[in-house]
């Protein structure tokens, strides 16, 4: 079946095969989004159904002919499969279709290459690309030889394939050596943060859940944000005061995605170490996403894989501004995961999230419900300044009913300073 779609960039034909997959439609939508995020122009989406992949072409000969006709008709330059292809399958398809063929991993790596900005990020992307493409050497790697000077490089009796493999192996070794220095620097930074006693909170979540927007809202930073998959690739760390007296180091990380290859996770090991060493994870979820439960499961699976499964989480259901039926709220069932619904885009629920984080790292605080008379305006202002007010509403008497979370001794001191008896306010 062929379905036309459009974007911008080189002409591409997409292929997505259903192997009795209950999430076929959802994965197809994500595939389209990946392609658009990469800046490619997809002329058609070809779908089909099989019991198992064909060893030679991954697809059957009938579907191969359909794709070939579509490539010829649309003058497509590239065919992308939303599946992982073996090197042999990729080569066989390219020979038959007479154009480049890319699999899902190659597409993700292409997006990563576009997003990487830092020295570390570029190294990690190049390492992942080399490891993935080292098995696909038939499609010339001679450009690596030209970069090294060419003449005198090739050993006696070496074929071009052997030369390419040796060049790639040498480059991988060089990148790993440089990344090891980066890991050492990161480890020193983590040790320094541990000695300083400042807790580390990492943002995690499925790609495009709004992590960078939340990061910017909490820190005042200007991290790149866009409605694209993997808009953020390079990790960012910022120190920020959640509530008076409680500061944290907040980290933004690369978004996760389903079917992420193990090798890709290993390539980004240095970045993901920040998640593993965090004191708390903010698991950001797009509340409007119909696949959010599946995405939560996918993210938790990666968190387990990198050894961060024991790190506590606060579930942050983001983008409530898109839905009129969802309001800011917090759920704190005893002994269960804390959940909060907010909008990082407009700032709704951000004070409550800051209070939750502050409370997590200040377990000596207690929650009080206070009834302040009309002459307690200065005390109310001071409580707001202190970041203790969790909820406020007016009373018929003209005063205020407020819910605060604060250390008992601090509340008693503030009441005394403003001539109020705490016992009379409760």
């Amino acid at each position: 079946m062929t379905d036309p779609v459009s974007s911008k960039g080189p002409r591409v034909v997409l292929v997505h095969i259903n192997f009795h997959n209950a999430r076929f439609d959802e994965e197809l939508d994500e595939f389209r989004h990946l392609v658009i995020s990469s800046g490619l122009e997809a002329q058609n989406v070809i779908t089909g159904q099989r019991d198992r992949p064909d060893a030679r072409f991954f697809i059957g000969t009938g579907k191969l002919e359909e794709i070939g006709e579509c490539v010829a008709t649309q003058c497509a330059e590239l065919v992308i499969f939303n599946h992982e292809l073996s090197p042999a399958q990729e080569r066989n398809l390219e020979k038959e279709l007479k154009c480049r063929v890319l699999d899902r991993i190659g597409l993700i790596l292409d997006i990563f290459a576009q997003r990487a900005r830092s020295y570390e990020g570029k190294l990690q992307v190049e390492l992942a690309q080399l490891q993935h493409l080292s098995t696909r050497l038939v499609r010339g790697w001679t450009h690596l030889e030209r970069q090294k000077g060419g003449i005198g490089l090739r050993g006696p009796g070496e074929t071009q394939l052997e030369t390419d493999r040796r060049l790639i192996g040498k480059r991988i070794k060089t990148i790993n050596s440089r990344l090891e220095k980066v890991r050492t620097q990161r480890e020193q930074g983590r040790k320094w943060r541990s000695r300083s006693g400042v807790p580390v909170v990492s943002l995690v979540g499925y790609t495009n859940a709004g992590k960078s927007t939340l990061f910017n809202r909490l820190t005042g930073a200007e991290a790149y944000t866009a409605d694209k998959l993997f808009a953020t690739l390079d990790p960012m760390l910022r120190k920020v005061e959640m509530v008076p007296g409680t500061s944290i180091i907040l980290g933004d990380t690369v978004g996760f995605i389903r079917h992420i290859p193990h090798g890709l996770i290993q390539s980004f090991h240095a970045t993901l170490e920040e998640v593993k060493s965090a004191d708390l994870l903010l698991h950001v979820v797009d509340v409007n996403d119909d696949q959010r439960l599946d995405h939560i499961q996918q993210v938790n699976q990666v968190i387990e894989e990198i050894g961060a499964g024991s790190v506590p989480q606060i579930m942050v259901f983001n983008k409530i501004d898109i839905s009129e039926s969802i309001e800011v709220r917090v759920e704190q069932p005893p002994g269960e995961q804390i959940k909060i619904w907010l909008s990082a885009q407009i700032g709704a629920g951000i004070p409550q999230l800051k209070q939750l984080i502050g409370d997590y790292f200040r377990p000596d605080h207690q929650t009080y419900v206070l009834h302040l008379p009309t002459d307690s305006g200065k005390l109310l202002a001071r409580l707001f300044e202190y970041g203790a007010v969790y909820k406020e509403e007016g009373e018929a008497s003209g005063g205020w009913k407020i819910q605060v979370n604060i250390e008992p001794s601090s509340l008693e001191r503030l009441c005394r300073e403003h001539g109020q008896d705490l016992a009379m306010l409760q």
Side-chain angles (χ1 to χ4, degrees), residues 96-107:
E96 293 292 325
L97 298 174
K98 296 179 175 56
C99 70
R100 279 197 62 205
V101 173
L102 200 65
D103 67 358
R104 178 184 173 86
I105 300 174
L107 175 62

Side-chain angles (χ1 to χ4, degrees), residues 347-397:
I350 296 299
Q352 290 90 331
L353 176 61
K354 288 184 174 182
Q355 189 64 56
L356 283 176
I357 298 172
D359 294 346
Y360 182 85
F361 293 109
R362 297 190 306 183
D364 55 336
H365 282 213
Q366 295 183 20
T367 299
Y368 298 85
V369 176
L370 304 179
H371 300 271
L372 303 184
T374 54
D375 62 351
S376 301
K378 290 184 177 180
L379 172 59
L380 178 62
R382 189 71 180 91
L383 288 169
F384 267 108
E385 182 182 337
Y386 202 84
V389 179
Y390 188 67
K391 186 177 181 181
E392 174 199 11
E393 57 185 82
E395 294 192 308
S397 62

Side-chain angles (χ1 to χ4, degrees), residues 181-353:
K181 293 180 180 178
V182 174
R183 293 187 184 105
T184 300
Q185 294 171 350
R186 282 190 174 278
E187 184 59 33
Q188 291 173 345
R190 281 191 289 268
K191 288 181 179 177
W192 176 85
R193 292 194 294 270
S194 179
R195 288 195 298 268
S196 70
V198 180
V200 177
V201 178
S202 284
L203 294 165
V204 298
Y206 209 77
T207 182
N208 206 31
K211 296 183 300 301
S212 294
T213 303
L214 181 58
F215 180 85
N216 291 343
R217 178 67 65 175
L218 290 172
T219 65
E222 296 182 355
Y224 174 69
T225 61
D227 185 20
K228 296 179 179 179
L229 302 186
F230 301 116
T232 300
L233 185 60
D234 300 309
M236 296 185 68
L237 295 171
R238 292 288 188 276
K239 186 176 181 180
V240 59
E241 188 176 56
M242 288 291 100
V243 294
T246 300
S247 295
I248 65 165
I249 293 174
L250 185 66
D252 191 12
T253 60
V254 61
F256 300 151
I257 196 169
R258 62 163 62 90
H259 307 317
I260 189 166
H262 180 75
L264 193 57
I265 294 175
Q266 288 300 107
S267 299
F268 285 80
H269 178 78
T271 300
L272 296 174
E273 277 289 329
E274 298 295 342
V275 175
K276 184 179 176 181
S277 63
D279 299 290
L280 177 67
L281 302 180
L282 299 183
H283 187 157
V284 185
V285 179
D286 181 351
V287 73
N288 302 287
D289 190 345
D290 294 336
Q291 306 164 52
R292 59 185 178 276
L293 296 179
D294 180 45
H295 290 173
I296 290 172
Q297 181 181 354
Q298 296 287 333
V299 171
N300 285 331
Q301 183 177 328
V302 176
I303 289 173
E304 288 285 347
E305 187 170 345
I306 64 176
S310 61
V311 181
Q313 295 184 20
I314 291 179
M315 296 298 300
V316 180
F317 294 95
N318 189 26
K319 303 186 182 182
I320 65 169
D321 55 297
I322 298 177
S323 175
E324 297 180 356
S325 61
I326 306 177
E327 297 181 348
V328 173
R329 75 177 192 271
V330 177
E331 292 183 2
Q332 294 180 271
E336 296 183 21
Q337 207 170 46
I338 300 173
K339 300 180 179 68
I340 180 170
W341 283 257
L342 55 74
S343 169
Q345 185 67 40
I346 64 174
I350 296 299
Q352 290 90 331
L353 176 61

Side-chain angles (χ1 to χ4, degrees), residues 4-53:
V5 297
S6 64
S7 181
K8 296 180 180 180
R11 297 187 172 212
V12 182
V13 172
L14 309 183
V15 180
H16 184 57
I17 306 300
N18 185 1
F19 297 99
H20 303 290
N21 184 359
R23 298 192 178 96
F24 175 80
D25 292 336
E26 291 86 347
E27 293 189 4
L28 178 57
D29 288 340
E30 183 176 89
F31 184 30
R32 295 170 187 262
H33 203 169
L34 274 171
V35 172
I36 292 172
S37 296
S38 71
L40 295 172
E41 179 182 356
Q43 297 301 309
N44 292 90
V45 179
I46 294 178
T47 60
Q49 186 166 337
R50 285 184 64 87
D51 292 329
R52 63 182 65 86

Side-chain angles (χ1 to χ4, degrees), residues 174-186:
T174 299
I175 294 174
N176 276 324
S177 176
R178 293 177 180 176
L179 282 174
E180 189 57 40
K181 293 180 180 178
V182 174
R183 293 187 184 105
T184 300
Q185 294 171 350
R186 282 190 174 278

